[in-house]
Amino acid sequence: MIKKVQKSKSLKGEITIPADKSISHRAVMLSSLARGKSVITNFSSGADCWSTLNIFKQLGVNINEIDKKTIEIVSDGNLKRSLSPLDAGNSGTTTRLISGILAGQNFDSEIIGDEGLSKRPMKRIILPLTQMGARIDSVDNHLPLTIHGKKLHGIVYHSPISSAQVKSCILLAGLNAEGQTTVIEPSKSRNHTELMLKYLGADILVYNNEVTIGPSELSAKDIEIVGDISSAAFFIVAGLIVPGSDFVIKNVGINPTRTGILDIVERMNGGAGVNIYNKRILSGEECADIRVQYTDSLKDCVIEGEDIPKLIDELPVIAVLASQAEGETVVKNAEDLRNKEADRITCLVTELRKIGVDISETPDGFVISGKCKLRGNAELQTYNDHRLAMSFFIAGLICEQEVAIDGFEWTNISFPEFEDLMTKLQ
Ligand code: S3P
């Protein structure tokens, strides 16, 4: 589907950001592993989270959709073998996290996915799970995976990358393994798994970048999911760069392991244009409302090292933001962007250049020289990547001429409400 985007007038009003995708996945997984009844409210409507939900139904868990955003899960904590393959669709989080759960079961499972997911690397989880005693067959470390369930044992794993998917996979395996399991990361990745495990009563200890879990039984509890800062990020950037904008985004998760984009705005102009208020805690996760206002005072910055896990999914839209900052913004240490739904370095650079962004590719990131006048008048490819699609839409809002985005339907993977919410502010 081709979506045409025109230069926008100022964005005004108020929107509520839908549920966090990472937390929605974990809510279904952990409620399925817990004993008792959980009601999950404000569940994500993104296709990825529904891939997870359908897989746990297939694994014999009693899951009822009270309505599209309210899910009731009743479980005795046990999963059952599925005779048909488990289809993770486009979702890396589903694949990598359930692999940790399935590796320690007393049955075998097969995980399949779509073409894009089947190209993504799985060695990063096969390696540590194998060290824990798992037996996994793959096609050269890619999907389909056949997981031969067996009793696992704990390990101490020094992860070479800061990845919440890898960390969570190992912790979920550790939940049902003999002895303690420790994961140590180079820098801290998102900690939703740890927070939710703690919330549901697991034996888990966190010390800086090190997490240790022991075999634990989880007790079901209701979970209300905060809004997704990775979805809010598109609107935060839109508000900052579309002249005259001033609006409120309600119910945004502000877990400090996810707020890298806010740190970048702070670095680019002292945080002008972003005002966080009404902070509160929902089911162990911090959230707030955010007022966003246009600013013309953005300056370049360097984004590297420990910044990266805190904003890994936001880098495509941060590139759009940086195109409106004076000077040279440099993104380093982000080589794992090449392993996302698309190669988010090459694809981003190729497409943004078409509309006039002065951006160049480096092995582990990109460099943008601003402030760029965006001309538009181009058709951009999304490479089946939801975050590229939405980032290009945001760029289109400040282009002189129309931008066409080919493959815009991929936004449904994480944020089907994206365009309606944008229309509401226009
Ligand atoms: C996620 C972790 C990140 C992120 C992805 C969701 C998660 O992936 O990019 O969108 O929910 O754990 P990595 O662990 O590969 O960095």
Side-chain angles (χ1 to χ4, degrees):
M1 170 197 152
I2 294 194
K3 171 65 56 193
K4 296 192 168 157
V5 189
Q6 274 95 24
K7 190 169 183 170
S8 180
K9 58 180 177 41
S10 57
L11 304 170
K12 296 270 162 84
E14 181 181 295
I15 53 170
T16 300
I17 280 297
D20 189 281
K21 181 159 96 78
S22 290
I23 302 176
S24 294
H25 283 295
R26 287 155 173 84
V28 170
M29 294 180 190
L30 295 186
S31 299
S32 296
L33 295 176
R35 270 173 206 266
K37 183 173 116 174
S38 330
V39 177
I40 302 170
T41 44
N42 193 33
F43 186 68
S44 168
S45 52
D48 273 4
C49 296
W50 285 80
S51 294
T52 293
L53 187 140
N54 287 327
I55 283 177
F56 280 87
K57 277 188 182 173
Q58 243 179 291
L59 291 167
V61 181
N62 183 356
I63 302 181
N64 302 308
E65 297 142 39
I66 295 175
D67 60 49
K68 279 198 171 146
K69 290 183 161 194
T70 313
I71 312 293
E72 182 191 79
I73 299 187
V74 183
S75 180
D76 61 3
N78 295 309
L79 306 177
K80 292 190 189 70
R81 179 177 187 181
S82 163
L83 292 175
S84 49
L86 305 167
D87 188 353
N90 190 244
S91 176
T93 306
T94 308
T95 309
R96 295 186 176 129
L97 270 60
I98 63 165
S99 295
I101 295 172
L102 295 172
Q105 301 294 324
N106 55 7
F107 56 78
D108 293 357
S109 313
E110 188 187 6
I111 308 176
I112 58 170
D114 72 8
E115 203 187 318
L117 184 61
S118 303
K119 289 188 190 136
R120 296 181 65 186
M122 295 300 153
K123 190 172 178 183
R124 55 184 64 197
I125 54 150
I126 294 176
L127 202 75
L129 288 176
T130 305
Q131 286 179 19
M132 294 179 81
R135 195 155 77 78
I136 301 175
D137 299 329
S138 69
V139 180
D140 198 18
N141 290 308
H142 293 83
L143 292 186
L145 301 182
T146 303
I147 300 184
H148 304 281
K150 66 207 276 283
K151 189 71 197 162
L152 306 179
H153 54 80
I155 54 168
V156 175
Y157 190 67
H158 289 264
S159 180
I161 48 174
S162 297
S163 156
Q165 293 179 354
V166 171
K167 172 177 62 177
S168 303
C169 167
I170 300 168
L171 293 176
L172 292 174
L175 199 56
N176 193 21
E178 235 170 60
Q180 304 232 301
T181 301
T182 300
V183 186
I184 303 156
E185 298 188 280
S187 57
K188 200 180 177 78
S189 65
R190 65 189 68 189
N191 65 354
H192 305 300
T193 305
E194 296 93 299
L195 290 181
M196 201 177 289
L197 280 167
K198 195 167 204 157
Y199 180 71
L200 299 179
D203 171 21
I204 183 163
L205 205 85
V206 178
Y207 177 71
N208 295 332
N209 305 341
E210 189 174 319
V211 190
T212 299
I213 190 162
S216 312
E217 290 209 343
L218 306 179
S219 314
K221 241 173 155 181
D222 292 346
I223 299 172
E224 182 172 352
I225 299 173
V226 299
D228 198 328
I229 190 162
S230 297
S231 299
F234 299 108
F235 289 90
I236 293 172
V237 171
L240 291 170
I241 65 174
V242 174
S245 297
D246 184 354
F247 58 87
V248 169
I249 314 175
K250 299 196 83 168
N251 200 33
V252 184
I254 51 161
N255 176 320
T257 63
R258 293 285 298 281
T259 46
I261 180 152
L262 303 179
D263 303 340
I264 294 313
V265 180
E266 182 73 41
R267 234 173 267 173
M268 285 181 151
N269 72 355
V274 173
N275 189 358
I276 300 165
Y277 63 102
N278 199 12
K279 288 189 185 177
R280 55 207 185 270
I281 307 270
L282 287 186
S283 308
E285 290 277 355
E286 206 175 344
C287 79
D289 300 336
I290 302 182
R291 179 174 175 192
V292 189
Q293 290 166 290
Y294 171 72
T295 170
D296 61 0
S297 59
L298 296 166
K299 300 262 179 323
D300 56 358
C301 70
V302 177
I303 305 174
E304 61 183 339
E306 296 195 350
D307 297 331
I308 301 299
K310 291 191 206 148
L311 45 65
I312 184 78
D313 291 339
E314 286 65 81
L315 283 168
V317 80
I318 286 174
V320 177
L321 180 70
S323 78
Q324 299 310 299
E326 295 289 346
E328 197 175 81
T329 296
V330 181
V331 174
K332 298 182 201 169
N333 312 125
E335 55 279 342
D336 210 31
L337 274 185
R338 298 191 185 277
N339 295 315
K340 296 294 177 187
E341 284 82 335
D343 176 339
R344 284 190 184 152
I345 297 179
T346 300
C347 298
L348 182 74
V349 169
T350 307
E351 300 307 307
L352 286 184
R353 275 186 175 169
K354 290 183 186 169
I355 54 170
V357 178
D358 183 351
I359 180 169
S360 52
E361 180 172 347
T362 61
D364 64 346
F366 46 85
V367 179
I368 296 182
S369 300
K371 181 176 181 174
C372 311
K373 206 169 170 53
L374 304 191
R375 58 175 177 269
N377 192 25
E379 183 173 302
L380 305 188
Q381 300 303 315
T382 59
Y383 306 89
N384 302 350
D385 184 320
H386 54 128
R387 297 200 201 279
L388 290 181
M390 292 183 276
S391 301
F392 297 156
F393 188 105
I394 300 303
L397 298 176
I398 56 163
C399 284
E400 284 310 312
Q401 294 176 62
E402 187 177 89
V403 173
I405 303 170
D406 187 9
F408 192 71
E409 67 281 5
W410 283 91
T411 51
N412 290 329
I413 285 294
S414 62
F415 196 3
E417 303 87 345
F418 172 77
E419 209 190 341
D420 284 350
L421 291 177
M422 187 57 75
T423 309
K424 200 173 164 204
L425 295 177
Q426 279 174 324

